[in-house]
Every structure is written in structure tokens, then in C-alpha cells.
Amino acid sequence: MAILAALGPRGPTPRTAPGELAPALVERARTGDAEAFRALVLHHQEAVHALLYRLLAPSGREGQVEDCTQETFLRVYRALPGFNPQGAAKLSTWILTIATRLALNELRRPSLVVPVAELASLPVASPHRADALAERRALGQAIRDALGQLPPDQRAVLVLREMHGLEYAEMAEALDLDLGTLKSRLSRARAAMRAALEHHHG
């Protein structure tokens, strides 16, 4: 399922979350240090933006990605004093949990937007590469379309696992699911994506 990386909004995005910030910096951010919080945002903003894009764009809600990114960090700012650095959740997972729940709430709202999002145009370096680039665009769009057909809850588990590398326990915590339900949901999402891609290549 690594092919799903074709959905990256701003070029390649690492599969895993960025490394954790130094505990001292996190503690400064928790106690209201503005510079420390700015460093926290800069460290995690690409992963948050990518997650929200992958959850919202297939439903035609690209226009909400920036707003949801800002809202995520506003909620992080408000809740950070209560975050326990010695707790079970890593800071990166905790932040992605906030973003995921925000995206799912957005996807549950009625929308008048028709999902007609297209992948950004890729530059053609030379004529002989045109066919390969066209195929990549077509495959990326097929993946986007297939993701858009998934129920939001299935889309969330697929994105968190395949694109952000969260462990099952982290995903269960983020989505407030038991492991059995989570694995079943992920299995159904993977099967739907495989079927969609087989149809694309068929």
C-alpha cells in the first residue's frame, strides 16, 4: 500500500511522524513559552497538514485543510498544559489524534462541495517522460477517488496506518476504538482500495 504516497500534497511526506521534540522544549511550551510553542508548531505542521489533506481532499474539502490545520494547533495550544509527557501517548500521536478527530467531525457535516479535486500538475522534464507522468497522475487520481468512496472512519484508519505509520494501539487511542474493531475496519479499507486499484489497472 506504499503506492498511496502518490497522494502527498506537497511532495513526498515521510511515512512516520517526525522525531519527538526535546522534553525540555515541550515543557516550556506546556508552561506558555511562545517561542517553544512556535517551535512545536513548525516541527509538526507538515505531518498535520498532510494528514488533514489526505482525510479531507478525497471528499472535495481541500478548502478546509488550512483552516483545520490552524484549528488543530489552536486546540493543541489550549490543551497542551494538560498533556502528560510521561503518559502513554507520544506528543506527535496526541497532536495527530486532535487533527484526526477534527477532520472526522468536518466530514460528518453536510457539504455542498462536489469532490472534483485534481492532483497538482507535475512538471514535464522531457517529452519521453510524458507518458510516465500521465500514468502517475492517473494512478494518483484513482487512489484519490477510491479514498473518497471510503467511509470517513475507514479512511482515517487507512491514512493513519499506511501514510503516518501509527501502531495499532496508537490508532485505537486516536479513534477511541477497541483493537478488534480497528483491525476489521482497516481490513475492509485495504480490500476496498485493492479492488479500486485492480479496476484501475484492469
Side-chain angles (χ1 to χ4, degrees):
M1 197 65 69
I3 192 66
L4 295 182
L7 286 171
R10 297 180 179 174
T13 300
R15 171 181 164 81
T16 55
E20 299 300 315
L21 290 168
L25 190 145
V26 174
E27 186 59 29
R28 285 170 47 207
R30 288 183 64 243
T31 56
D33 185 305
E35 283 302 312
F37 185 75
R38 181 174 181 274
L40 181 152
V41 172
L42 291 174
H43 188 74
H44 291 283
Q45 66 182 357
E46 286 299 326
V48 168
H49 188 278
L51 172 69
L52 290 167
Y53 181 91
R54 288 160 173 165
L55 290 176
L56 296 173
S59 294
R61 299 186 189 230
E62 296 96 326
Q64 299 301 314
V65 173
E66 296 296 339
D67 286 347
C68 286
T69 300
Q70 292 184 31
E71 178 64 20
T72 294
F73 285 109
L74 179 59
R75 294 186 181 193
V76 168
Y77 179 78
R78 289 171 175 166
L80 190 59
F83 173 74
N84 180 8
Q86 282 75 48
K90 296 181 295 188
L91 179 63
S92 58
T93 303
W94 181 73
I95 292 173
L96 291 180
T97 295
I98 292 173
T100 299
R101 292 177 177 173
L102 187 63
L104 290 174
N105 287 340
E106 176 64 29
L107 289 169
R108 292 183 185 111
R109 290 173 42 192
S111 174
L112 299 178
V113 179
V114 178
V116 293
E118 298 291 336
L119 290 180
S121 298
L122 297 174
V124 179
S126 58
H128 70 274
R129 294 185 59 199
D131 288 345
L133 292 173
E135 174 60 21
R136 179 176 172 81
R137 284 197 296 270
L139 177 58
Q141 189 59 51
I143 294 168
R144 289 271 296 278
D145 291 344
L147 272 177
Q149 295 302 311
L150 291 178
D153 290 344
Q154 288 186 25
R155 190 186 309 166
V157 297
L158 191 71
V159 168
L160 288 172
R161 178 65 179 172
E162 302 295 345
M163 300 176 184
H164 292 269
L166 267 65
E167 300 296 332
Y168 289 121
E170 293 176 315
M171 293 164 59
E173 174 75 18
L175 299 172
D176 195 22
L177 297 173
D178 62 74
L179 282 176
T181 300
L182 185 146
K183 290 179 179 179
S184 174
R185 193 171 289 178
L186 181 60
S187 178
R188 290 196 300 271
R190 284 171 168 165
M193 291 297 293
R194 278 195 299 269
L197 293 179
E198 286 169 3
H199 177 75
H200 171 75
H201 286 295

